[in-house]
Amino acid sequence: MNFLPFTRPSIDEQTIESVAAVLRSGWITSGPRVKEFEAALYSYCGGRPVRAFSSGTATLQVALTLAGVQPGDEVITTPLTWVATANVILSAQAKPVLVDIDPATRNVDLKLLEAAINPKTKVLIPVDLAGLPVDRQQLYAIAGRHKVRVIEDAAQAFGASWRGEPIGRGGDFVSFSFHANKNLTTGEGGALVLPADIDPGLCERLRLQGVSRLGDGGMEVDVLGGKFNLTDIAAAIGLGQLPRLEAFTARRRQLAQRYFSRFEQQPVAGLELPPRDFANSNWHMFQPLLPDTTDRGSFIAAMSKRGIGVGVHYPALHLFSLYRGLGFKPGDFPQAERVGARTITLPLFPAMADSDVDRVCEAVAEILR
Ligand SMILES: Cc1ncc(COP(=O)(O)O)c(C=O)c1O
């Protein structure tokens, strides 16, 4: 039986051809395809300025600079995310302030988040875990009350929406990742949607060594920029993906629905199903929680033996030694710890067949029985 990975990108032949065309063109780094990809993202985001980057980590890093975060400032986020979200705060020499999650959504608990805001708080970084958006109305009401900026870590939420509005069309800074596992991929890549008060030119300079090209062939450097540009090779992949996004999301929703109906018809004792949302989420991942008594490592090994890949996204990040070294400890965020210790990511990607879902559900039931 073929191995079923927990995710796999859907790259069609036309996209492969378009990548080959870039490779043959003689111009393979940032160029016309990146401009085209940015123009397509600009339309997708309802006419907001968008700049393409080499990763979703780079977008967060540049967004923190653009938001004016200085050493010692506080930035609030969730402990239940890919560690990049908190690492970029440390890279900016700011202080990561973590608040626990709401178990109903597994996203940051907005009441706790508001309570953690103080005069040192500069930015909030909410994360749309598994593509389930944080409540944007409540989030921006809080940000407005306390006059703090927001960098939406929507790395996993491309294609998701909040009350009918695609993520990226509204809000302050919005950061996307196009990593290989994401709903829309460029292999590696990201995009940053900019608020109206931010100069896109400065964003571009922060992306590439602070350089501005002068008309006479010369150049000027006025800020310390990074090396965060996307290649035309990657942009060509993104351009091939974007027209398929809606179909990808629709298929993911169908597969998630099938997981729910299968697990509800034949419940597995102690298995906790993910938040059920078929209005907003892009179903980036399908993540049940294992029963308390199940050893996750053995479960993953047993699934692997049956030819099924299972991921873990993510252990609560404050328990990593880097973060313990900053003073975080077990018990600080009990909800995130509980979810982080029990979460599993089951296979979910657009090319999966209905029968793949059935096979996964049967294997889970068999192992946990
Ligand atoms: C929530 C979250 N934030 C940030 C990132 C970083 O994105 P990238 O891997 O493109 O740097 C990811 C990617 O996995 C993510 O899932």
Side-chain angles (χ1 to χ4, degrees):
M1 197 178 282
N2 285 341
F3 189 82
L4 179 68
F6 74 82
T7 190
R8 190 198 297 148
S10 291
I11 310 286
D12 59 14
E13 288 306 315
Q14 211 178 326
T15 303
I16 293 169
E17 273 307 306
S18 73
V19 169
V22 171
L23 294 174
R24 290 191 188 100
S25 74
W27 191 273
I28 60 176
T29 185
S30 311
R33 301 315 306 269
V34 169
K35 287 261 179 269
E36 217 181 305
F37 187 42
E38 286 179 338
L41 292 169
Y42 168 84
S43 297
Y44 179 83
C45 294
R48 300 185 73 198
V50 186
R51 292 298 178 271
F53 280 77
S54 53
S55 75
T57 304
T59 53
L60 290 172
Q61 234 171 297
V62 167
L64 284 167
T65 305
L66 290 170
V69 169
Q70 300 287 332
D73 286 344
E74 294 189 5
V75 178
I76 306 180
T77 192
T78 166
L80 197 69
T81 177
W82 176 229
V83 69
T85 313
N87 284 351
V88 293
I89 302 171
L90 294 180
S91 295
Q93 295 177 58
K95 181 181 172 193
V97 173
L98 303 177
V99 295
D100 209 351
I101 57 157
D102 174 352
T105 61
R106 303 181 190 167
N107 286 330
V108 69
D109 183 320
L110 290 171
K111 285 201 186 74
L112 297 177
L113 176 135
E114 181 160 24
I117 296 176
N118 71 71
K120 285 189 179 165
T121 309
K122 195 69 180 257
V123 167
L124 311 176
I125 309 188
V127 177
D128 304 318
L129 189 68
L132 176 65
V134 169
D135 182 322
R136 295 300 197 265
Q137 264 80 16
Q138 280 191 50
L139 171 70
Y140 281 102
I142 294 168
R145 273 200 289 282
H146 299 276
K147 307 212 167 10
V148 289
R149 295 214 76 138
V150 176
I151 300 171
E152 299 179 19
D153 185 350
Q156 304 182 7
F158 200 77
S161 55
W162 183 253
R163 306 226 167 120
E165 182 178 76
I167 298 301
R169 278 197 203 178
D172 200 353
F173 294 92
V174 185
S175 167
F176 294 118
S177 166
F178 303 135
H179 168 261
N181 286 352
K182 299 299 187 283
N183 290 25
L184 181 144
T185 186
T186 58
E188 297 283 359
L192 184 62
V193 187
L194 298 172
D197 64 325
I198 297 294
D199 171 19
L202 176 58
C203 176
E204 289 171 9
R205 299 202 296 287
L206 291 171
R207 178 173 63 179
L208 193 59
Q209 312 293 7
V211 169
S212 347
R213 301 276 169 188
L214 306 177
D216 62 0
M219 63 178 81
E220 158 64 349
V221 176
D222 62 339
V223 286
L224 178 60
K227 176 68 169 101
F228 300 140
N229 54 306
L230 190 75
T231 67
D232 267 19
I233 302 168
I237 304 174
L239 282 163
Q241 294 264 288
L242 203 48
R244 304 172 68 203
L245 179 70
E246 218 170 294
F248 286 162
T249 309
R251 181 63 186 146
R252 283 175 176 276
R253 285 196 177 130
Q254 277 177 353
L255 292 163
Q257 294 261 24
R258 191 171 183 92
Y259 269 122
F260 274 104
S261 54
R262 291 289 311 216
F263 280 130
E264 281 163 358
Q265 275 160 21
Q266 289 166 314
V268 178
L271 190 77
E272 219 172 291
L273 296 181
R276 180 196 280 270
D277 175 301
F278 289 99
N280 304 297
S281 176
N282 66 359
W283 285 99
H284 172 54
M285 296 188 279
F286 188 85
Q287 301 178 293
L289 305 184
L290 286 173
D292 279 329
T293 48
T294 304
D295 176 73
R296 183 163 60 188
S298 316
F299 173 84
I300 292 172
M303 289 290 279
S304 179
K305 230 180 191 173
R306 287 166 173 76
I308 298 170
V310 173
V312 173
H313 307 90
Y314 303 92
L317 70 88
H318 65 288
L319 301 179
F320 295 142
S321 59
L322 175 66
Y323 287 87
R324 287 188 195 225
L326 300 174
F328 294 109
K329 57 187 186 312
D332 282 351
F333 311 110
Q335 301 293 352
E337 287 170 31
R338 178 181 158 273
V339 173
R342 293 172 57 200
T343 189
I344 50 164
T345 305
L346 295 180
L348 180 62
F349 54 90
M352 260 172 77
D354 288 356
S355 58
D356 290 326
V357 171
D358 302 347
R359 180 181 150 204
V360 174
C361 293
E362 278 152 29
V364 170
E366 208 177 281
I367 295 165
L368 295 182
R369 193 177 293 136

